[in-house]
Amino acid sequence: MGMVIVTENLTKDYHTGFRAHTIRAIENLNLEVEVREIFGFLGPNGAGKTTTIKVLVGLTKPTRGRAMVLGKSSTDVDIKKLIGFLPESPYFYEYLNPVEYLKLCAQLSGIARAEQQRRIEKLINLVRLERFVKMPMRGFSRGMLQRVGIAQALIHDPELVILDEPMGGLDPIGRREFRDIILKLKEQGKTIFFSTHILADVEMICDRVGIILNGKLINTGRLDEILGSEIETFEMVVRGLDRKMVKVIERISNKVIPSEDKVLIEVKTEEEVERIMVIMREVGAKLLSLIPRRKTLEDHFISEIQKERLKEI
Amino acid sequence: MKIIGVILNTFRESIRDKVFITIIIFAILVMVSGKVIQPLALGEEAKVVKDIGLNSIALFSTLIAILVGGRLVYKEIEKRTLYLIITRPIHRWQFIVGKYFGLLLVLFESILIMTCAFYLILILLNISASLNLLLSVLLTFFQLWVITAIAILFSTFSTPITGAVFTFALYFIGHLTRDLKTFGAMSKSGLVKTLSDIMYYVLPNLANFNIKGEVVHNVTIAPQIIVLTIAYAIVYSAIIVFASCIIFQRKDF
Ligand SMILES: Nc1ncnc2c1ncn2[C@@H]1O[C@H](COP(=O)(O)OP(=O)(O)OP(=O)(O)O)[C@@H](O)[C@H]1O
Ligand SMILES: [Mg+2]
């Protein structure tokens, strides 16, 4: 299958301060993103997500290694008309209104004049900025700027969309609308690469994720590969258990939380569920719900980060 | 064409900038003030008004070039607006060249407004307004090609304040470089001679652009001098803009 993004041993050092002090922002990054894929790039603050993205869009040159985008070097100017980019907390010319700005973007991306107006209207509607088209962006809120950012990234109908924390500053409705936009782009055959530290967003829409920590890619793969599809725990809610019975069940499960008239029980295996059911039948207790829980990305993320931190010590 | 987009946006940015409008209004006020001190200049009223007018046009347009030009590229880096320009299919040099001509367009407009105001004042005061004065304005405009190029060069690697100070310094030194060469020629030391020669060619030579005295006193100027001075402005600024492009091309954001 065609690769849209390939990085080989990508390394970036920043030199700061008066002394020759270097910060290695990313180290030997080997990433592959396939065509028509939604790829989530995950990592905590300072992990190197923005640095990687800056290399991919040609704002920064790698110290070592290389980054290929759409089959060419990431600094190649010709591929830029096929890439849509949204930087982290984007900022635009404050003296322009969104329509003037999108017009400039369309012009720079080489969209024919006749086509410009149609694209602009479509995108203003898509990101719901209709009410603000005449307002200079000086007065825009963070979420409104983010919407302009999404519109400018899509104005030239790019094949690959690279977004740095696209959900930043968006309200819950905005996040949902954004997820729909991304899924629609995938349907149209586009490839989407975006960074985030909000795991719920990734779980809902990503085909694959990459986890970056301290500049190193520590895990990539399909979500179900990373998380495993098997069920980790069962959560039972039961009514009609008295104190004595709760004590008995505590011998089977190490997580029993009684509240007013219900008890929450967490067990690891189906066999344990069976044993509790038997006890319940004896005393005439009632099962209100039984929910199998898979490992969440959050669990995985936190355990990976802890593993890395332990290695450091 | 893409570069036109950058030029027009730079133009739009500058004319929506308060600094720009303030400077133009101030320049016109200074020109009008020529009328106030006119009675002090016995029999030389016309020359004083013309002198003040031409000097205001030169000074205030230079101020615009340095204050607005010095911030042009820096502001784009600082506010990261440029991320979304240079990640589009446009070469980095096109961005710099676009900024340069955008600012020249702004300066052309400023000079146009100030010159119109100047001629209006002359007509109102019943002073003969010969077209000869326009030659001086023309050279002022080409001097701005050089100043703007220098301002943009500094703007690619230094803060606006440092850039403005150095551009101003070069502007003043630029009017003395001819004397520098004369001074070097008089010196007996070979080292001083070579040094002054190098500085003469490296530093901008702006004295030739100043023909205000000549036009005010109706001294005729050889057309070759005008043509050569304009050619000098074009070549010198092309080299500086080229250097700015190289610095900008290598930059990491
Ligand atoms: N211009 C720079 N100069 C010096 N160091 C930098 C620069 N940009 C980034 N860094 C360093 O590189 C590392 C990675 O930063 P980066 O911005 O890529 O992280 P991130 O994953 O995007 O974080 P966040 O989630 O906070 O946006 C950090 O340690 C940061 O301090
Ligand atoms: Mg970041």
Side-chain angles (χ1 to χ4, degrees):
Chain A
M1 206 158 191
M3 291 296 172
V4 174
I5 297 175
V6 179
T7 72
E8 287 164 13
N9 295 324
L10 197 65
T11 303
K12 176 71 193 177
D13 292 340
Y14 282 113
H15 304 275
T16 53
F18 293 101
R19 301 250 186 110
H21 181 69
T22 59
I23 295 174
R24 180 148 290 185
I26 47 174
E27 185 171 348
N28 291 330
L29 213 69
N30 291 301
L31 258 182
E32 286 188 342
V33 177
E34 285 170 19
V35 70
R36 298 194 67 155
E37 186 167 55
I38 302 180
F39 190 94
F41 197 39
L42 278 172
N45 290 133
K49 301 182 295 294
T50 299
T51 306
T52 309
I53 286 178
K54 277 187 181 172
V55 173
L56 292 179
V57 296
L59 283 172
T60 302
K61 288 164 202 109
T63 308
R64 238 179 334 103
R66 53 182 205 148
M68 305 292 287
V69 179
L70 295 159
K72 295 210 173 146
S73 159
S74 61
T75 49
D76 193 303
V77 173
D78 292 334
I79 55 168
K80 300 280 187 270
K81 59 172 171 292
L82 303 175
I83 303 175
F85 168 51
L86 170 67
E88 186 174 28
S89 18
Y91 195 80
F92 314 101
Y93 300 109
E94 54 184 23
Y95 51 90
L96 297 183
N97 67 43
V99 172
E100 289 171 326
Y101 182 65
L102 291 176
K103 202 169 182 88
L104 173 68
C105 293
Q107 201 175 359
L108 292 178
S109 285
I111 309 276
R113 191 172 284 267
E115 176 85 354
Q116 287 176 9
Q117 200 53 41
R118 202 182 59 80
R119 294 281 317 159
I120 291 170
E121 263 168 39
K122 194 173 158 192
L123 281 155
I124 291 279
N125 288 334
L126 186 71
V127 299
R128 300 193 189 283
L129 279 173
E130 298 95 336
R131 286 192 298 133
F132 307 103
V133 286
K134 288 273 159 59
M135 186 169 157
M137 291 189 280
R138 175 178 296 123
F140 273 27
S141 73
R142 172 99 168 71
M144 281 154 74
L145 288 174
Q146 198 71 24
R147 285 160 190 266
V148 178
I150 294 167
Q152 65 77 34
L154 303 177
I155 191 81
H156 49 301
D157 196 22
E159 285 308 307
L160 166 66
V161 186
I162 297 179
L163 312 158
D164 198 355
E165 287 181 35
M167 314 259 203
L170 291 183
D171 57 24
I173 300 167
R175 301 177 100 82
R176 196 229 213 88
E177 286 166 354
F178 173 76
R179 282 197 300 265
D180 291 344
I181 292 174
I182 294 295
L183 291 171
K184 214 185 285 168
L185 286 175
K186 183 190 153 99
E187 248 169 57
Q188 293 166 10
K190 318 287 189 197
T191 308
I192 299 104
F193 179 95
F194 75 94
S195 80
T196 183
H197 20 70
I198 295 164
L199 303 156
D201 297 337
V202 177
E203 279 186 302
M204 262 181 261
I205 57 174
C206 285
D207 298 310
R208 282 200 313 142
V209 297
I211 298 178
I212 183 171
L213 192 63
N214 294 332
K216 288 178 215 127
L217 198 64
I218 55 172
N219 216 328
T220 49
R222 307 195 69 84
L223 265 179
D224 48 7
E225 285 165 16
I226 290 185
L227 301 179
S229 49
E230 79 260 33
I231 285 140
E232 281 246 310
T233 55
F234 295 90
E235 231 175 63
M236 308 172 75
V237 180
V238 181
R239 184 159 49 202
L241 286 176
D242 56 18
R243 275 217 192 131
K244 220 169 72 197
M245 281 297 123
V246 169
K247 285 260 149 42
V248 174
I249 290 172
E250 273 176 350
R251 265 178 258 153
I252 304 171
S253 158
N254 51 16
K255 196 167 168 195
V256 182
I257 305 164
S259 64
E260 284 173 49
D261 58 338
K262 287 176 267 184
V263 183
L264 177 91
I265 306 163
E266 201 182 279
V267 290
K268 292 259 176 334
T269 62
E270 268 175 64
E271 192 252 315
E272 287 170 345
V273 174
E274 283 300 324
R275 281 167 62 193
I276 290 170
M277 295 286 268
V278 171
I279 298 170
M280 280 166 51
R281 240 171 270 136
E282 277 167 20
V283 297
K286 212 169 166 184
L287 180 67
L288 296 181
S289 69
L290 171 64
I291 304 167
R293 287 229 184 272
R294 286 196 317 166
K295 189 174 175 187
T296 63
L297 191 52
E298 192 172 314
D299 301 331
H300 178 75
F301 195 57
I302 290 169
S303 73
E304 288 287 342
I305 288 175
Q306 276 164 352
K307 259 193 264 168
E308 282 297 309
R309 299 240 160 97
L310 280 178
K311 267 192 228 161
E312 274 170 28
I313 306 163
Chain B
M1 218 171 74
K2 284 168 198 158
I3 209 161
I4 307 277
V6 180
I7 293 177
L8 292 182
N9 190 49
T10 307
F11 181 72
R12 190 161 44 180
E13 170 177 8
S14 306
I15 57 170
R16 289 183 191 179
D17 191 336
K18 286 195 194 73
V19 176
F20 170 78
I21 294 152
T22 317
I23 292 178
I24 297 243
I25 292 173
F26 203 72
I28 294 173
L29 286 180
V30 170
M31 283 190 235
V32 173
S33 77
K35 165 83 181 129
V36 182
I37 54 171
Q38 194 194 9
L40 297 176
L42 298 162
E44 299 278 313
E45 300 91 349
K47 280 176 187 149
V48 170
V49 173
K50 285 179 186 173
D51 217 41
I52 291 181
L54 290 178
N55 276 299
S56 309
I57 293 174
L59 179 71
F60 290 103
S61 58
T62 304
L63 265 180
I64 293 175
I66 294 177
L67 295 183
V68 179
R71 287 187 310 165
L72 270 185
V73 177
Y74 183 83
K75 211 162 66 182
E76 296 247 2
I77 299 174
E78 183 77 9
K79 296 201 164 167
R80 295 180 291 133
T81 44
L82 127 147
Y83 281 15
L84 290 168
I85 304 297
I86 60 171
T87 51
R88 297 200 176 268
I90 170 173
H91 292 275
R92 287 188 181 189
W93 66 262
Q94 287 177 313
F95 176 78
I96 292 290
V97 172
K99 284 270 150 189
Y100 178 69
F101 283 108
L103 186 56
L104 280 186
L105 195 62
V106 173
L107 291 166
F108 181 78
E109 202 212 4
S110 331
I111 287 193
L112 199 67
I113 297 173
M114 289 192 276
T115 308
C116 287
F118 175 50
Y119 269 79
L120 198 68
I121 291 168
L122 290 182
I123 290 166
L124 287 178
L125 294 182
N126 233 336
I127 297 171
S128 73
S130 78
L131 285 178
N132 220 4
L133 298 175
L134 285 182
L135 267 186
S136 166
V137 175
L138 181 74
L139 285 195
T140 295
F141 179 59
F142 277 99
Q143 173 169 288
L144 289 171
W145 282 48
V146 176
I147 311 281
T148 303
I150 294 173
I152 293 227
L153 176 69
F154 281 117
S155 180
T156 57
F157 64 85
S158 73
T159 63
I161 295 181
T162 328
V165 168
F166 277 98
T167 314
F168 262 121
L170 281 176
Y171 173 66
F172 286 115
I173 295 170
H175 283 99
L176 302 173
T177 33
R178 201 158 56 182
D179 304 332
L180 196 78
K181 180 148 168 108
T182 328
F183 166 77
M186 288 190 312
S187 166
K188 287 196 183 66
S189 148
L191 182 70
V192 171
K193 262 194 179 50
T194 343
L195 267 179
S196 68
D197 264 5
I198 291 174
M199 282 167 74
Y200 177 74
Y201 287 111
V202 172
L203 296 172
N205 182 359
L206 302 177
N208 291 337
F209 292 91
N210 185 3
I211 53 166
K212 297 182 198 83
E214 285 90 333
V215 293
V216 168
H217 291 95
N218 279 320
V219 179
T220 45
I221 302 147
Q224 306 83 293
I225 295 201
I226 307 270
V227 172
L228 277 178
T229 307
I230 291 175
Y232 173 82
I234 293 173
V235 172
Y236 193 90
S237 48
I239 293 171
I240 301 288
V241 170
F242 183 71
S244 314
C245 290
I246 289 179
I247 294 176
F248 194 67
Q249 184 67 41
R250 300 163 57 99
K251 237 178 145 68
D252 236 15
F253 297 103

